[in-house]
Amino acid sequence: EKSMGSLTPGEQKEVDEVANAIQPAEAEKMLRSIAELDFDETYKLSSTHLSQVEMPQNKKTVYYLSLYFTKLDNTEGLSDEDIKQKIAIGEGNGYANATLNAKTGELLSFSSNNWAEQKTAKKTSDRAAIKKFADDFIAKYQPEKSKSVKFIDNDNVNFMFQYYRTENGIFFYDNSFNVGVDAESGKIREYYISWFDDAVLPSTQGVITTQKAHEKLFEGGELKLEYVLRDNKVVLGYKLSDQKPGLIDALSGERIDYSGNPYFESKAPSYTDIKGHFAENAIKTLSSVGVFLDGAVFNPDISITQADYFKLLSKLGRYYGNKDDIEGLYEFLIQNEVLDKSEKNPDVAITRENSIKYLLRYLGYKKFAEIKGIFKTDFKDVADIDEALIGYAAIAKGIGIV
C-alpha cells in the first residue's frame, strides 16, 4: 500500500500494460461523482492498490484498482503532511473503500462507515422508499444488468437489498447485486456486484423433472443420520453425505462435481504391499472412510509427493472437483489459502512439517495457527521446528494429530 494515491513502480508498470487503464486520481474523481454514495469530501484518500485476478470461468486476467479512504471531519488549517500524519496514526472518524475495474472504470464494490455519532440525522424506517432508492441506483449505473435481476425480499431490517440474475425464470445466484442503504443518511453505504459478463447460460429445453433429480440425488442411501449442533442445542437430523457433491446435471440426470464435470466415485483399493507394515491399520482406516490413493500398491516406505498428498487431503471433503485434475486441485488449494503459488511443487517429496501445515490449513486453522507469540510446544526437537510453524505444531498436538 502507498500513501496519498501513488502507485509503486511495479504497479505502475502493470497499469501501463493495460490499455486505457484508469489512474487513481481519475478513479477517485469518478467515485466522487456518484452522488448516491454515502461519501463526501471528509473522506481522504489514504492508499491505493492494483491487483490482477485470473477469472476461473474463462481464465482471463482482470485488473482491479482499489481505493482506501480515511474520514477526517475537521481538516481546516491542516497541511497535506498533517493529514497524512493523522491518517498514519489512525485518527480518522471512519473509512470508505471502493474497488473498480481498472480498465473500464466500472464500480464493483463500495463500503463506508462513519464512527462519529450522528445525533442530528433523522432516521427513516420507510422500507419501500429506501428499497426504491436501491432499485433506482442499480438501474442508473447498471442499466442493462438491472433488467435481468430479481429482488429477493429477506426482510432485512438493516436495509441490505439483494438482487439475483434470472434467465428463463431460473435464478443464477452467482450473478448478483447487493445494495445497502443507510437509514440515517438515505445514501448507499454498501454496494457489491458479482457478474460473469461472458457467461453462456444453457437452454432449459430437455431438462429432467424435479422428481427424477430427487431420485438420483438420494439413491444409494445418501442421507446419513447425524448429531448436529443448532442454536446451542444438539439435534438429530438426516444430512446429505459430505463425500459426494449434491449436484445433478439437469439434462443427463447424472451426478456432477462442483466444476460441472461428471462425478466418479472411486472404490477403496486392497493394497498388496501393506500387510505387516506398522502403518497397515492406519492406511486401512483411512481407506475405509474414502481417504486413499488409487492403485494396487501404496508404497508405504516411499516419501509421498506433494500432489499425491493433496489428493488425499481432497478426499476429506470441501473439494468436489475431479481428483485427477491436478491443476484444478491446485487452483482450489491456492484460492482457499491452503498453499501459496510459490509453494506449488507437485513432484517434491512432502516433509512432515509441511504435511501438518497443509492439513491444518485445509481444515481451516491457518489464521489461528499463524498468530505469533501465543503458542508453546514441549516437543524434544522444538529447536528444529521452523518458527513460522510453531503454531501448527502446537495445534496438531493439541487435537491429537501427532
Side-chain angles (χ1 to χ4, degrees):
E1 293 185 356
K2 307 134 295 292
S3 62
M4 303 304 289
S6 62
L7 295 176
T8 66
E11 289 179 334
Q12 186 62 56
K13 182 180 179 181
E14 288 184 333
V15 170
D16 294 340
E17 290 175 352
V18 183
N20 302 317
I22 60 174
Q23 296 292 319
E26 182 184 358
E28 181 182 0
K29 183 178 179 181
M30 293 168 62
L31 190 65
R32 293 192 183 281
S33 70
I34 304 176
E36 293 87 351
L37 299 180
D38 194 359
F39 180 68
D40 57 28
E41 293 301 322
T42 62
Y43 289 92
K44 306 299 182 182
L45 183 64
S46 57
S47 63
T48 65
H49 179 68
L50 180 71
S51 59
Q52 63 181 59
V53 177
E54 183 181 82
M55 305 305 290
Q57 69 272 18
N58 57 19
K59 305 301 181 183
K60 291 182 180 179
T61 297
V62 178
Y63 287 84
Y64 296 124
L65 180 60
S66 297
L67 309 177
Y68 304 94
F69 300 84
T70 299
K71 183 176 176 60
L72 297 174
D73 287 332
N74 185 10
T75 58
E76 185 176 354
L78 297 181
S79 66
D80 286 346
E81 287 302 317
D82 292 334
I83 292 175
K84 288 180 183 179
Q85 185 174 9
K86 279 184 170 290
I87 291 173
I89 63 177
E91 285 194 0
N93 308 112
Y95 71 86
N97 304 324
T99 298
L100 299 86
N101 183 305
K103 188 171 183 179
T104 67
E106 178 185 11
L107 179 64
L108 302 174
S109 70
F110 171 83
S111 66
S112 67
N113 198 338
N114 181 4
W115 298 327
E117 293 182 2
Q118 299 183 16
K119 296 180 179 179
T120 60
K122 183 178 180 180
K123 188 171 183 177
T124 177
S125 59
D126 188 346
R127 182 175 174 81
I130 293 177
K131 177 186 174 297
K132 185 178 186 305
F133 184 76
D135 293 343
D136 292 343
F137 178 77
I138 62 172
K140 178 179 179 180
Y141 293 98
Q142 294 286 354
E144 293 304 316
K145 293 183 177 72
S146 64
K147 295 175 183 178
S148 59
V149 298
K150 184 176 180 180
F151 168 66
I152 298 295
D153 191 356
N154 56 13
D155 196 26
N156 192 325
V157 295
N158 293 320
F159 305 114
M160 176 63 77
F161 303 98
Q162 297 174 312
Y163 306 79
Y164 295 97
R165 182 179 178 182
T166 60
E167 296 288 345
N168 303 311
I170 301 171
F171 279 104
F172 184 18
Y173 290 104
D174 288 316
N175 280 194
S176 63
F177 292 100
N178 286 269
V179 183
V181 182
D182 182 70
E184 295 180 338
S185 67
K187 292 193 173 185
I188 305 296
R189 178 65 59 88
E190 293 184 58
Y191 171 74
Y192 175 75
I193 177 175
S194 173
W195 205 274
F196 303 153
D197 287 315
D198 55 357
V200 178
L201 304 186
S203 168
T204 59
Q205 187 173 0
V207 299
I208 64 174
T209 64
T210 302
Q211 179 62 34
K212 288 185 177 180
H214 281 166
E215 292 173 0
K216 186 66 179 180
L217 182 63
F218 296 118
E219 71 179 12
E222 296 305 320
L223 288 176
K224 305 295 183 183
L225 195 60
E226 293 185 11
Y227 288 106
V228 184
L229 185 64
R230 289 290 183 271
D231 297 326
N232 297 318
K233 295 181 180 179
V234 177
V235 298
L236 193 59
Y238 284 98
K239 182 175 178 290
L240 280 172
S241 170
D242 289 330
Q243 299 301 316
K244 293 182 181 180
L247 292 177
I248 304 299
D249 189 300
L251 295 176
S252 68
E254 297 301 315
R255 192 183 296 268
I256 56 177
D257 62 30
Y258 290 103
S259 297
N261 300 314
Y263 171 77
F264 299 101
E265 184 176 8
S266 54
K267 302 293 183 180
S270 296
Y271 297 119
T272 60
D273 60 344
I274 63 173
K275 187 174 180 59
H277 194 276
F278 74 88
E280 179 182 0
N281 290 336
I283 295 170
K284 287 183 175 179
T285 299
L286 287 172
S287 294
S288 70
V289 293
V291 181
F292 55 83
L293 294 174
D294 294 324
V297 294
F298 187 82
N299 295 316
D301 295 314
I302 297 177
S303 297
I304 190 169
T305 65
Q306 187 187 79
D308 281 342
Y309 182 72
F310 285 141
K311 283 183 181 180
L312 290 176
L313 285 189
S314 72
K315 296 187 178 184
L316 296 176
R318 292 186 64 197
Y319 178 72
Y320 299 106
N322 184 348
K323 306 296 190 296
D324 294 321
D325 178 9
I326 298 302
E327 288 304 314
L329 175 57
Y330 269 104
E331 183 177 316
F332 169 85
L333 295 170
I334 291 170
Q335 287 179 349
N336 287 273
E337 299 185 342
V338 176
L339 81 161
D340 301 324
K341 281 186 177 181
S342 60
E343 297 178 283
K344 179 182 176 182
N345 195 345
D347 298 323
V348 71
I350 199 162
T351 65
R352 187 183 185 193
E353 283 185 338
N354 279 334
S355 69
I356 292 173
K357 177 181 73 174
Y358 294 138
L359 171 60
L360 290 177
R361 283 182 176 180
Y362 195 85
L363 296 175
Y365 287 93
K366 182 177 187 292
K367 290 184 179 179
F368 179 49
E370 295 181 1
I371 298 175
K372 296 181 179 179
I374 68 171
F375 293 104
K376 292 183 179 180
T377 66
D378 56 1
F379 290 111
K380 292 180 180 179
D381 61 346
V382 63
D384 297 326
I385 301 176
D386 186 335
E387 185 177 349
L389 300 179
I390 289 293
Y392 290 100
I395 294 172
K397 185 172 184 179
I399 62 179
I401 294 177
V402 295

